[in-house]
Amino acid sequence: MSHAADLPHVVIVGCGFAGLAAARGLAAAPCRVTVIDRRNHHLFQPLLYQVATAALSPADIAWPIRALLARQANAEVQLGRVTGVDPEDRSVLPEGGRRVAYDRLVLATGARHSCCGQNAWEAVAPGLKKIDDATLIRQRVLLAFERAELEPHPTERSALLTFVVVGGGPTGVEMAGAIAELARYALAADFRPIDTRAARTVLLEAGPRLLPSFPPELSEAAAATLRRLGVEVRLGRPVTGCDEQGVVVDGQRIPTRTIVWGAVSSPRPPGAGSAYPATGPGG
């Protein structure tokens, strides 16, 4: 039997669904596995929208990576943000000047939300990719109702009670439906000066239908369900402006103080803002 140090070393960067599946898939393989992630937990992203609308606690959808791989004898876990890869030296470069050599490398760093190249929009239109995003959106949604209750001016109160979700993919559809249900049912008895059921939820999709990666009949069913919940579904309507006062669609502004970006995602390279692939000295 080979000594462990002589076995091929597989380094997996990222422990989302792909990274965790890759690590577990190598459980019986004759190799050493090192999983490196900048967070110490694996996140069940499909339920982030429920954290964002206060239906679940963050702890309900996040599990320690070390616990998930504790029984896998050939796997170890390292906490670290990988800033690049040196392919000539066959090593990954976590922050702090360390190098982790590999024989095989799996990059499973996932995706981040992207506001169609409009970086200025991201501060007012957060995406939903991690727990921090979900808790920020939850805070903004709940505070909008609190502020609306105390707002004496009808125009500003209306803007506070208007919630705009951009993007008709799974994230956008789930978020729009959850916000509408929150306003119509969960909060209806909690606020007396305002009627939360009168809150307006708008879902904007630039394409011709919701859930474009699904069969058309599911798109139609999703749109019908959302409309029954009171969601305004607008198709073929790209956003052309986005700021703290609202969004601009078809040259008209929708006044809102809460925007959620559920549209375009872009691949996340190892290390936010870093060049990839990175090279070592002299590379």
Side-chain angles (χ1 to χ4, degrees):
M1 181 176 180
S2 300
H3 191 275
D6 298 327
L7 294 175
H9 188 203
V10 180
V11 173
I12 302 171
V13 181
C15 196
F17 290 123
L20 182 60
R24 285 178 163 173
L26 294 170
C31 65
R32 295 177 294 126
V33 178
T34 298
V35 176
I36 306 176
D37 198 290
R38 59 182 182 162
R39 296 184 178 86
N40 65 354
H41 60 267
H42 168 79
L43 179 65
F44 192 79
Q45 281 191 333
L47 291 181
L48 272 173
Y49 78 97
Q50 293 201 24
V51 175
T53 51
L56 290 177
S57 162
D60 293 330
I61 64 168
W63 299 274
I65 297 171
R66 294 181 186 277
L68 291 172
L69 296 175
R71 297 184 180 181
Q72 186 167 327
N74 69 341
E76 70 165 325
V77 178
Q78 295 184 10
L79 179 68
R81 182 189 296 268
V82 173
T83 59
V85 177
D86 185 341
E88 294 184 3
D89 188 51
R90 299 181 70 82
S91 60
V92 297
L93 312 174
E95 286 181 338
R98 293 189 301 120
R99 284 176 175 264
V100 180
Y102 64 82
D103 295 299
R104 296 288 186 271
L105 175 62
V106 178
L107 293 176
T109 49
R112 65 183 302 276
H113 91 283
S114 173
C115 292
C116 300
Q118 301 288 340
N119 294 335
W121 295 2
E122 294 193 18
V124 295
L128 192 57
K129 292 295 184 184
K130 54 187 186 292
I131 285 178
D132 291 347
D133 297 333
T135 54
L136 172 63
I137 292 169
R138 180 177 64 186
Q139 180 185 46
R140 292 186 179 185
V141 169
L142 295 179
L143 284 179
F145 288 102
E146 298 284 355
R147 291 170 57 195
E149 182 181 47
L150 302 175
E151 177 56 55
H153 301 290
T155 301
E156 178 61 17
R157 188 186 311 123
S158 175
L160 286 166
L161 292 176
T162 297
F163 303 89
V164 175
V165 180
V166 181
T171 298
V173 168
E174 290 166 342
M175 271 303 306
I179 292 173
E181 287 185 330
L182 181 71
R184 177 172 288 195
Y185 304 113
L187 298 181
D190 295 344
F191 292 86
R192 295 180 181 176
I194 60 173
D195 182 3
T196 64
R197 294 170 297 184
R200 180 186 180 197
T201 305
V202 183
L203 177 60
L204 303 174
E205 166 55 42
R209 65 184 179 95
L210 301 180
L211 303 175
S213 61
F214 291 80
E217 56 269 24
L218 291 181
S219 300
E220 295 172 5
T225 299
L226 289 175
R227 290 185 172 115
R228 283 196 296 271
L229 284 171
V231 177
E232 297 178 32
V233 178
R234 300 192 183 187
L235 303 175
R237 299 290 188 271
V239 171
T240 56
C242 184
D243 56 35
E244 293 180 351
Q245 301 305 309
V247 298
V248 178
V249 182
D250 283 347
Q252 296 183 337
R253 177 177 291 276
I254 301 175
T256 178
R257 304 295 176 262
T258 308
I259 308 166
V260 179
W261 195 271
V264 181
S265 293
S266 61
R268 182 189 298 278
S274 66
Y276 174 74
T279 58

